Amino acid sequence: MADLPILSLAIWVPIIAGILVLFTGGDQNAPTARWVALVGSIIGFAVTLPLYTGFDFNDGGFQFQEGLRWIPAFNINYHLGVDGIAVPLILLTSFTTILVVIAAWEVIQKRVAQYMAAFLIMSGIMIGVFSALDAILYYVFWEAMLIPMFLVIGIWGGPNRVYATIKFFLYTLLGSLLMLVVFIYLYHQTNSFELVDYYTMPLPMNAQILIFLAFFMAFAVKIPMWPLHTWLPDAHVEAPTGGSVVLAAIALKLGGYSFLRFAMPIAPDAANYLSGFMITLSLIAVVYIALVALVQQDMKKLIAYSSISHMGFVTLGFFIFNPLGMDGAIVQMISHGFISSAMFLSVGVLYDRMHSRQIADYGGVANTMPTFAAFAVLFAMANSGLPGTSGFVGEFMVILAALQTNFWYAFLASTTLIFGAAYTLWMVKRVFYGEIANHHVAVLKDINQREMLILGVLALLILGFGLYPYPITEMTHATVENLLGHLAQSKLP
């Protein structure tokens, strides 16, 4: 096992499985495409498990490293490696892919093979982003991720899918072009694209600030941070359920992960200098975007704004430079992956039956779908930070860490517990409780075994990590300590 290229398997198994799915043919072979996709996603998840079982929790550096010469003329290498921040996100990615395949089983009836293949290939690419230790390799995976997501929204999306896909593509592409400029600059300084070479390179303050701001444009768009968030609600509304799940559970995490992997350790003095700016944007996202979520009439749009607000907690946890805050932010990223997946899948369950996401079209759903309502209320509670669910753990850790830094940071951040409960429970009340609103709701059928399996697994994970988050913090803590130690050292020449 020790000699197996675990990270290469984690990247290429789902990609190859996706290509095999494409070879199953047209929709006349849709059952074959579904089963090949399911087996491929399960194998893809299985090959990532050794990253946890074989991980050295006391080592804060990169593990499972693999290296090959790729483009020797420019010193570009196929260099992979992971630490305690990347591994939980890789496991989340491979696990979410299984859910997306199962969720689409009966729902997607056209271009089934292409749909399944897009998510499998996207899974491998995103694991590549989390694994790459060469800047160009990382950039290739980062940009490649846009293609399958662009196709998923553009082909299987809603009526305004073209507008949403172009907006999504332009925001993310233009942001990342500045990142490429930074990599070229760093290459001229070090003659290397190796990430570890950038970590030790002295940089003057003005260069660090410019580098940090360029990275900010790429990563803040992806998270997304206010005011660069406007593409996300449109993308979520137009995306099919699987697209929304992957966007919320994984794609948003690429930005948060990249702040920790690139912007902060390469430009630590600038990160410290601009921490007030980053904290301000984070708190605006937490408070203002939560208020925006309160007035939404579309369930998907409400959850999308909720995601932006919750991701404000993540960047807040990063930039208070505190072990508790950074651990809490990573826990929040993982928890948000489970909860947002569950919320979007729940909206998908209703949309598949009524073809509407408007809150006003529902009412009294708990009378006709009691099992589904029980799951949905649990997920809503977790989204609002109910103790005992994973949604509480990360937010509580970040609030405690913020309190150690500045009372007002903690005060403003804690308002999300009020606003989050307000917009989430307001939606639950209008959709699930009261009298049955209309004859469409009256004939709704409760969830089937496939839907119960997906929602049940997510409910167990949300409750499990809510009661016992140690498996996540155990993995992240040494890496976080290592990163904070690096950030505490000036790189000014």
Side-chain angles (χ1 to χ4, degrees):
M1 182 67 75
D3 296 330
L4 283 176
I6 303 295
L7 289 174
S8 288
L9 289 172
I11 293 169
W12 294 106
V13 163
I15 291 176
I16 292 171
I19 294 170
L20 289 176
V21 172
L22 286 175
F23 280 110
T24 57
D27 285 342
Q28 69 276 12
N29 295 321
T32 305
R34 294 187 182 103
W35 282 108
V36 173
L38 180 61
V39 172
S41 63
I42 291 173
I43 296 174
F45 176 62
V47 298
T48 60
L49 290 178
L51 295 176
Y52 181 79
T53 58
F55 193 80
D56 181 353
F57 299 112
N58 297 314
D59 184 351
F62 294 112
Q63 304 179 36
F64 299 97
Q65 291 198 49
E66 301 171 27
L68 288 173
R69 302 288 284 171
W70 182 18
I71 308 176
F74 295 100
N75 202 14
I76 298 172
N77 301 311
Y78 177 82
H79 187 189
L80 305 174
V82 287
D83 58 9
I85 299 170
V87 171
L89 294 167
I90 290 175
L91 292 170
L92 178 66
T93 303
S94 59
F95 171 75
T96 303
T97 306
I98 301 175
L99 294 184
V100 169
V101 169
I102 298 174
W105 202 264
E106 298 164 355
V107 177
I108 300 298
Q109 294 295 332
K110 294 182 178 178
R111 299 179 178 177
V112 175
Q114 291 88 339
Y115 183 88
M116 299 291 187
F119 283 101
L120 284 164
I121 292 170
M122 192 156 40
S123 173
I125 292 171
M126 289 190 293
I127 291 173
V129 175
F130 292 130
S131 307
L133 296 182
D134 180 281
I136 295 300
L137 182 65
Y138 165 88
Y139 186 78
V140 168
F141 281 127
W142 176 277
E143 295 292 12
M145 195 277 290
L146 294 178
I147 299 170
M149 183 56 79
F150 183 88
L151 295 174
V152 165
I153 301 174
I155 295 175
W156 293 275
N160 295 319
R161 59 186 179 275
V162 174
Y163 168 76
T165 48
I166 291 174
K167 192 173 181 181
F168 161 74
F169 195 82
L170 288 178
Y171 265 63
T172 50
L173 180 67
L174 293 177
S176 56
L177 285 177
L178 289 174
M179 178 170 63
L180 180 60
V181 172
V182 170
F183 289 152
I184 293 171
Y185 168 78
L186 294 171
Y187 173 75
H188 279 288
Q189 299 297 314
T190 62
N191 196 32
S192 169
F193 284 108
E194 287 292 326
L195 193 55
V196 290
D197 291 337
Y198 299 162
Y199 286 176
T200 55
M201 182 181 64
L203 283 167
M205 192 63 176
N206 57 349
Q208 286 198 41
I209 290 175
L210 290 174
I211 288 170
F212 186 91
L213 292 177
F215 279 136
F216 168 82
M217 291 303 297
F219 306 148
V221 165
K222 192 74 90 176
I223 286 181
M225 294 183 73
W226 181 89
L228 303 173
H229 66 284
T230 60
W231 65 271
L232 185 69
D234 292 321
H236 270 306
V237 167
E238 298 304 325
T241 299
S244 292
V245 169
V246 170
L247 265 176
I250 314 299
L252 304 190
K253 313 305 182 298
L254 296 174
Y257 165 82
S258 298
F259 266 118
L260 298 180
R261 180 65 75 236
F262 289 90
M264 297 172 75
I266 291 176
D269 299 286
N272 278 285
Y273 178 72
L274 294 171
S275 61
F277 168 71
M278 297 298 294
I279 289 170
T280 301
L281 294 186
S282 303
L283 289 172
I284 290 174
V286 169
V287 178
Y288 168 68
I289 300 297
L291 291 171
V292 174
L294 268 172
V295 298
Q296 299 306 311
Q297 299 300 314
D298 183 306
M299 286 186 277
K300 260 193 167 184
K301 198 169 271 191
L302 187 151
I303 301 168
Y305 281 110
S306 167
S307 292
I308 299 167
S309 178
H310 282 110
M311 292 306 289
F313 254 93
V314 172
T315 46
L316 174 64
F318 289 169
F319 284 93
I320 52 181
F321 295 96
N322 174 312
L324 183 63
M326 203 167 279
D327 275 331
I330 297 169
V331 171
Q332 173 73 352
M333 285 203 291
I334 304 302
S335 167
H336 181 263
F338 296 137
I339 296 172
S340 62
S341 295
M343 297 281 285
F344 279 116
L345 287 166
S346 297
V347 173
V349 166
L350 290 175
Y351 185 80
D352 293 341
R353 287 160 171 75
M354 295 231 336
H355 301 289
S356 172
R357 297 184 303 267
Q358 296 301 310
I359 294 172
D361 291 340
Y362 294 89
V365 171
N367 295 295
T368 51
M369 303 178 71
T371 305
F372 171 64
F375 279 118
V377 172
L378 170 65
F379 300 145
M381 294 293 183
N383 192 54
S384 59
L386 182 75
T389 66
S390 63
F392 173 76
V393 179
E395 291 184 359
F396 188 63
M397 290 170 71
V398 173
I399 290 172
L400 281 181
L403 190 61
Q404 295 173 7
T405 305
N406 184 305
F407 168 79
W408 291 107
Y409 294 167
F411 174 79
L412 291 171
S414 61
T415 59
T416 195
L417 298 174
I418 301 169
F419 294 137
Y423 60 70
T424 307
L425 297 180
W426 180 234
M427 178 180 71
V428 166
K429 175 182 178 294
R430 288 180 287 173
V431 171
F432 292 98
Y433 295 109
E435 299 296 325
I436 294 175
N438 52 57
H439 71 279
H440 297 294
V441 176
V443 298
L444 286 176
K445 294 186 181 302
D446 212 340
I447 51 176
N448 56 35
Q449 291 182 338
R450 175 183 60 84
E451 293 163 334
M452 187 179 294
L453 171 68
I454 299 171
L455 299 183
V457 169
L458 285 169
L460 287 174
L461 288 169
I462 290 167
L463 290 172
F465 285 117
L467 296 171
Y468 189 66
Y470 183 67
I472 301 176
T473 56
E474 177 190 32
M475 176 164 285
T476 62
H477 193 66
T479 302
V480 166
E481 292 281 359
N482 187 39
L483 176 60
L484 286 171
H486 180 84
L487 293 175
Q489 297 176 6
S490 174
K491 289 180 65 177
L492 295 176

